[in-house]
Amino acid sequence: MKVVVSIGGSVLAPDLDADRVAGYADALGQLDAAGHEVGVVTGGGTVAREYIEAARELDANEMELDHVGIAVTRLNARLLIAALGERAAPEPSETYEEGREALRRGDVPVLGGTVAGQTTDAVSAAFAEYVNADLLIYATSVPGVFDADPDVDADATRFETLAVSDLVDVIAGIEMNAGSNAPVDLLAAKLIERSGIRAIVLDGADPQRVFEAVADDAHDGTEIVPDGKV
């Protein structure tokens, strides 16, 4: 199976926790050893937000802030590459083309951000489409997709399975201010809808959940399926 794993920065390296990074490298290495083709996209997380806020206070414009965030996502990519060792392409892939070439060589490509104006949520969906992935996994800080922001609405309900067009509607309806608990952004949802790729949104606090979702098709998150297949 060809799978793209999107790992949020706060999930991959909370407080720059080396053990968590090593745990993800182990889970991804198990998938690679089992014969799966694996590509990874890393987010920026809390560190990126702190740098962006500092740069904003220094009057950086939005384009400059995007580049600050991209730089941090690539630092997180380098952490994971170090943990993966020889399994990974030696440098973060900065374009989809570089990532696809690494997959074709048998390496695990690790991407961060690619261009300003696009989150790593969207990068993950676009890369999955570009390489014709069978599965896209979002390892996030929330345990799936809810019908409302669970941090705001105590009655928010998690979906076990969700048609991709409904995902677009749900995400569009959640307030997208800083701190909202939308598991993916709207552009990512639109790209998933366009590509028809099966996707899973799950709690990534334990890296083994990613392994189990791919290897055993077992997870406690939300499965996103093409319309008509729910």
Side-chain angles (χ1 to χ4, degrees), residues 5 7 28 30 48 92 95 99 123 129-130 134 138-139 144 148 150 156 164 176 192 194 201 208 212 226-227:
V5 181
I7 312 173
L28 296 169
Q30 291 178 59
T95 66
V123 169
E129 182 177 31
Y130 191 74
D134 302 297
Y138 284 98
V164 66
M176 292 301 289
I192 295 168
R194 180 180 75 175
V201 179
Q208 281 300 308
E212 292 166 2
D227 289 343

Side-chain angles (χ1 to χ4, degrees), residues 120-183:
T120 51
D121 288 348
V123 169
S124 304
F127 185 54
E129 182 177 31
Y130 191 74
V131 300
N132 295 314
D134 302 297
L135 177 63
L136 169 61
I137 293 182
Y138 284 98
T140 75
S141 58
V142 292
V145 180
F146 288 74
D147 59 3
D149 186 339
D151 279 352
V152 176
D153 186 348
D155 295 323
T157 301
R158 181 182 62 83
F159 297 99
E160 292 186 4
T161 305
L162 192 63
V164 66
S165 61
D166 293 330
L167 172 69
V168 172
D169 292 340
V170 169
I171 298 302
I174 293 178
E175 188 77 12
M176 292 301 289
N177 290 336
S180 74
N181 245 350

Side-chain angles (χ1 to χ4, degrees), residues 26 43 52 67 87 89 93-94 96 109 112 149 181 205 217:
D26 182 61
I52 287 169
H67 284 292
R87 293 186 186 276
S93 300
E94 297 186 1
Y96 302 128
D149 186 339
N181 245 350
D217 198 21

